[in-house]
Amino acid sequence: MGSNFLGIVGLSLQVSGLALLFSTLIGVPVGVIIGLNRFIGRRLAAVVLYTGMGFPPVVIGLFVYILLSRSSPIGSLNTPFIPNLFTPSAMVLAQTIISFPLVAGFTMAAVMGVDPALRRQTMSLGATRHQTALTVLSEARTGVIVAVAAGFGSIISEVGAVMLVGGNIQGQTRVMTTAIVLETRKGNFDLAILLGLVLLLVTFLVNLLILRLQGTVFDE
């Protein structure tokens, strides 16, 4: 039970950590681009992001399931770049899609909240667009960190999508949330509660780390 328990916790951290990494690497630049640039379709892009922020995770799980199934055009390609269903890779893909709009949307709102005078002043000093974007992003770092925290919160506690694309297979795709559901149905409330407490502890520690990353903002 001990190694199985540790395996469930470890896989949860691995899947959610990778999904958060990918959604951050994609979501932060997308949020900055939409937040700082004026282009045709900008409002539509913002609406799509905001819609994605409220999308039911189980529906995204259904979308990924259909996308990766052997009967779909993409799933039938059978290449190493496309994950198979009922694997941790499929779970990472689903969680990345769930987390991405939150990271991108909150980042967009954070950079749009920075005083436009800072951007104009930076450009007047000869900074390139890339350097200006980095300056604005640095000023909006507190909001960006909140965006990452929101993304993590949306996936570490997610059940429906990972259940659909992962299958809750013991020793392979079982994570803390799906294990809690299973153990509760079996009447193993002690183990379910223990997993729930570990999940809460992990969430607390990650948010504590995020708070430290915000530096002295709370002391100002």
Side-chain angles (χ1 to χ4, degrees):
M1 181 271 192
S3 60
N4 185 38
F5 179 83
L6 293 177
I8 291 172
V9 175
L11 183 61
S12 299
L13 296 176
Q14 179 186 352
V15 169
S16 296
L18 285 174
L20 184 64
L21 175 64
F22 292 144
S23 61
T24 299
L25 291 176
I26 302 170
V28 170
V30 169
V32 171
I33 290 171
I34 298 175
L36 294 183
N37 296 281
R38 298 183 183 279
F39 54 88
I40 298 174
R42 184 190 184 208
R43 287 180 181 274
L44 177 62
V47 170
V48 170
L49 277 185
Y50 288 147
T51 303
M53 292 168 73
F55 223 63
V58 69
V59 177
I60 294 176
L62 176 62
F63 167 75
V64 174
Y65 184 95
I66 295 173
L67 186 72
L68 300 181
S69 66
R70 292 297 182 186
S71 58
S72 76
I74 294 178
S76 61
L77 292 177
N78 194 26
T79 68
F81 303 103
I82 300 175
N84 294 320
L85 281 173
F86 311 125
T87 63
S89 298
M91 297 160 68
V92 170
L93 175 61
Q95 290 202 345
T96 300
I97 296 174
I98 292 170
S99 179
F100 162 74
L102 288 164
V103 175
F106 280 122
T107 299
M108 179 188 70
V111 297
M112 289 176 69
V114 175
D115 189 347
L118 173 65
R119 188 180 176 190
R120 291 193 293 269
Q121 182 180 9
T122 305
M123 295 188 73
S124 67
L125 293 174
T128 64
R129 293 172 64 88
H130 180 68
Q131 291 171 329
T132 302
L134 289 178
T135 301
V136 173
L137 187 61
S138 174
E139 188 67 17
R141 63 186 180 280
T142 301
V144 175
I145 290 173
V146 171
V148 176
F152 177 76
S154 69
I155 55 180
I156 190 64
S157 58
E158 204 284 321
V159 181
V162 294
M163 185 82 83
L164 274 175
V165 303
N168 196 25
I169 303 171
Q170 182 177 4
Q172 297 183 37
T173 60
R174 184 165 297 168
V175 293
M176 284 190 282
T177 52
T178 56
I180 290 172
V181 173
L182 178 68
E183 298 302 333
T184 301
R185 288 175 178 171
K186 290 164 60 177
N188 294 333
F189 296 109
D190 291 344
L191 182 54
I193 291 172
L194 178 60
L195 285 165
L197 291 175
V198 172
L199 183 60
L200 287 173
L201 178 63
V202 168
T203 305
F204 173 78
L205 292 176
V206 170
N207 282 295
L208 185 63
L209 175 63
I210 290 172
L211 186 64
R212 289 186 63 84
L213 290 175
Q214 288 180 315
T216 59
V217 172
F218 278 90
D219 300 327
E220 294 176 352

